């Protein structure tokens, strides 16, 4: 992946963010250094997504103390799309617990695109993980609620609790996807044939399509992610949304599957759990510290926002977020050598 981070030194992960002004400056720098890029293409397999202004670009970081930094178009709303999968999974894991949801939906990467039918076939009908469409539709079907309408209401209010404000569905995005989502309908029918989905499969696809059409901003994504970084408490509202155990489980699923078949490259370059969506959003979580929300509609071939990945790669380095980047114990800047034996 071209992270546009040549010359940016990896700061060691010290367990803390630098001070407010330093984070503010780096958020602005992540925006500035990637603003001009026009790499990638806007998704248009959901027709209405093709109508977005491709120049929009927003970056936000929310800290676990509730402070939020923003640069660029961080308050412009767009549909959450696949990023909803991470938060719906967390809500379902809260209900069912580690073992059951782990067994029913799975936690392993398929290595195949998010809308793969072959992945379901290759794995004997097991959805494999909740971040691809098959697993996400099966997860949505596990949401509490006797009817599709009740499940949808639980999803909307649950994701709103993560964001700390009432999220609205974009009816036009929903309509555009509902008319063209025959592939997701086929995946749900296939899961049904393997006994891997509860309830009416087409109704569950409809709820899933609604959840994907919820409107968020880069700022919202940062706050939603910061809730996962903060042991399940929304740092802005102070309300507990999920348990700390479910945060841990959700972030481990994101680490291996959040960027689809690019998840390995993402972990290699950025070293943090993240989740992308085809409208151009990415949320990335630094456990115990905070989260990054980005929005930029042009995508790479796997469906991940190009400028969002680059801004996140920059911040991971500059803010010392990469969970694999240690320094030498006791050294001042964490980068000095130890003594040679
Ligand atoms: N709603 C989209 C779909 O099901 C979400 C995909 C995505 O964001 N990768 O195709």
């Amino acid at each position: 992946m071209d992270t546009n981070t040549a010359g940016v030194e990896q700061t060691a992960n010290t367990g803390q963010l630098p001070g407010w002004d330093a984070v503010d400056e780096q958020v602005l720098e992540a925006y500035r250094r990637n603003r001009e890029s026009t790499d990638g293409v806007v998704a248009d397999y959901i027709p209405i997504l093709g109508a977005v202004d491709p120049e929009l670009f927003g970056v936000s970081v929310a800290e676990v103390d509730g402070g939020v930094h923003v640069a660029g178009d961080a308050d412009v709303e767009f549909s959450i799309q696949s990023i909803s999968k991470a938060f719906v999974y967390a809500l379902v894991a809260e209900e069912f617990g580690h073992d059951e949801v782990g067994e029913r939906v799975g936690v392993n990467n398929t290595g195949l695109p998010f809308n793969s039918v072959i992945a379901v076939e290759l794995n004997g009908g097991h959805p494999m993980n909740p971040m691809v469409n098959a697993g996400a539709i099966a997860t949505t079907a596990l949401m509490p609620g006797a009817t599709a309408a009740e499940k949808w209401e639980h999803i909307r209010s649950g994701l709103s609790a993560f964001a700390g404000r009432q999220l609205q569905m974009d009816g036009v995005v929903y309509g555009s996807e509902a008319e063209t989502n025959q592939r997701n309908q086929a995946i749900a029918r296939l899961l049904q044939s393997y006994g891997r989905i509860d309830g009416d499969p087409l109704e569950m696809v409809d709820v899933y399509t609604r959840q994907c059409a919820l409107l968020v901003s880069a700022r919202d994504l940062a706050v939603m992610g910061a809730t996962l970084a903060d042991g399940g408490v929304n740092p802005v509202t102070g309300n507990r949304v999920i348990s700390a155990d479910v945060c841990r489980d959700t972030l481990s699923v994101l680490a291996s599957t959040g960027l689809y078949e690019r998840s390995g490259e993402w972990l290699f370059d950025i070293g943090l759990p993240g989740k992308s969506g085809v409208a151009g959003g990415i949320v990335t979580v630094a456990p115990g510290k905070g989260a990054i929300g980005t929005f930029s509609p042009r995508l790479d071939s796997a469906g991940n926002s190009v400028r969002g990945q680059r801004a996140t790669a920059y911040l991971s380095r500059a803010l010392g977020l990469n969970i694999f980047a240690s320094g030498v114990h006791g050294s001042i800047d964490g980068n000095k050598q130890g003594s040679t034996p």
Side-chain angles (χ1 to χ4, degrees):
M1 172 182 140
D2 169 11
T3 59
N4 189 28
T5 48
V8 182
E9 238 182 80
Q10 174 68 61
T11 306
N13 188 333
T14 61
Q16 274 182 13
L17 286 170
W20 175 267
D21 291 346
V23 178
D24 226 42
E25 177 51 37
Q26 298 295 10
V27 168
L28 201 56
E29 181 58 19
Y31 171 75
R32 273 199 217 110
R33 64 186 290 129
N34 293 296
R35 184 176 37 192
E36 306 304 330
S37 162
T38 56
D39 294 343
V41 284
V42 170
D44 59 5
Y45 76 97
I46 299 171
I48 190 70
L49 295 185
V52 72
D53 174 1
E55 301 307 330
L56 291 168
F57 182 34
V59 182
S60 178
V61 167
E63 302 195 24
V64 288
D65 69 3
V68 183
H69 309 260
V70 288
D73 304 310
D75 288 307
V76 171
E77 292 188 322
F78 54 93
S79 55
I80 189 169
Q81 297 299 339
S82 273
I83 304 168
S84 65
K85 294 167 177 166
F87 298 98
V88 172
Y89 175 74
L91 297 171
V92 166
E94 187 76 20
E95 287 294 314
F96 284 84
H98 182 94
D99 291 336
E100 192 172 347
V101 78
E103 191 276 317
R104 285 177 81 143
V105 189
V107 295
N108 282 324
N109 200 311
T110 63
L112 291 165
F114 64 86
N115 57 0
S116 175
V117 175
I118 293 173
V120 180
E121 283 294 310
L122 287 175
N123 294 293
H126 195 281
M128 292 300 283
N129 79 69
M131 299 304 135
V132 290
N133 289 10
I137 295 165
T139 304
T140 292
L142 292 174
M143 274 302 288
T147 62
E150 279 179 31
K151 288 181 194 292
W152 162 233
E153 215 27 67
H154 278 126
I155 289 173
R156 195 225 292 252
S157 63
L159 266 59
S160 296
F162 274 108
R165 70 179 185 97
Q166 205 51 41
L167 300 179
Q168 306 296 331
M169 188 189 83
D170 185 326
V172 178
V173 171
Y174 162 73
S176 181
E177 183 165 359
E179 276 171 21
T180 53
N181 66 354
Q182 288 75 21
R183 191 177 182 92
N184 285 341
Q185 296 176 29
I187 288 172
R189 282 277 188 223
L190 192 57
L191 290 173
Q192 180 191 32
S193 78
Y194 282 108
R196 286 283 182 182
I197 190 167
D198 291 347
D200 180 87
L202 297 190
E203 277 184 15
M204 296 309 119
V205 171
D206 186 67
V207 178
Y208 165 80
T209 308
R210 287 173 189 275
Q211 87 186 38
C212 288
L214 280 170
L215 288 172
V216 291
S217 63
R219 180 197 295 268
D220 289 326
L221 290 180
V223 173
M224 295 172 87
T227 304
L228 292 175
D230 188 33
V233 172
N234 181 315
V236 176
T237 64
N239 294 332
R240 176 165 291 286
V241 183
I242 50 164
S243 70
D245 283 357
V246 166
C247 283
R248 178 204 59 209
D249 290 352
T250 304
L251 294 179
S252 64
V253 169
L254 295 189
S256 61
T257 62
L259 282 280
Y260 315 119
E261 66 273 35
R262 296 270 160 82
S263 298
E265 270 170 75
W266 169 267
L267 210 55
F268 188 60
D269 287 327
I270 289 165
L272 290 166
K275 183 75 202 87
S276 66
V278 288
I282 304 182
V283 64
T284 306
V285 182
K289 294 179 175 172
I292 305 166
T294 59
F295 170 51
S296 174
R298 292 194 189 94
L299 312 178
D300 68 15
S301 60
N304 303 314
S305 164
V306 174
R307 288 189 297 190
Q309 291 182 82
R310 291 177 182 168
T312 305
Y314 176 79
L315 289 170
S316 174
R317 283 176 178 245
L319 299 178
L321 304 179
N322 189 319
I323 56 177
F324 304 112
S326 57
V328 177
H329 174 70
S331 65
I332 293 174
D333 68 2
N335 284 325
K336 299 297 169 241
Q337 293 167 354
S339 55
T340 23

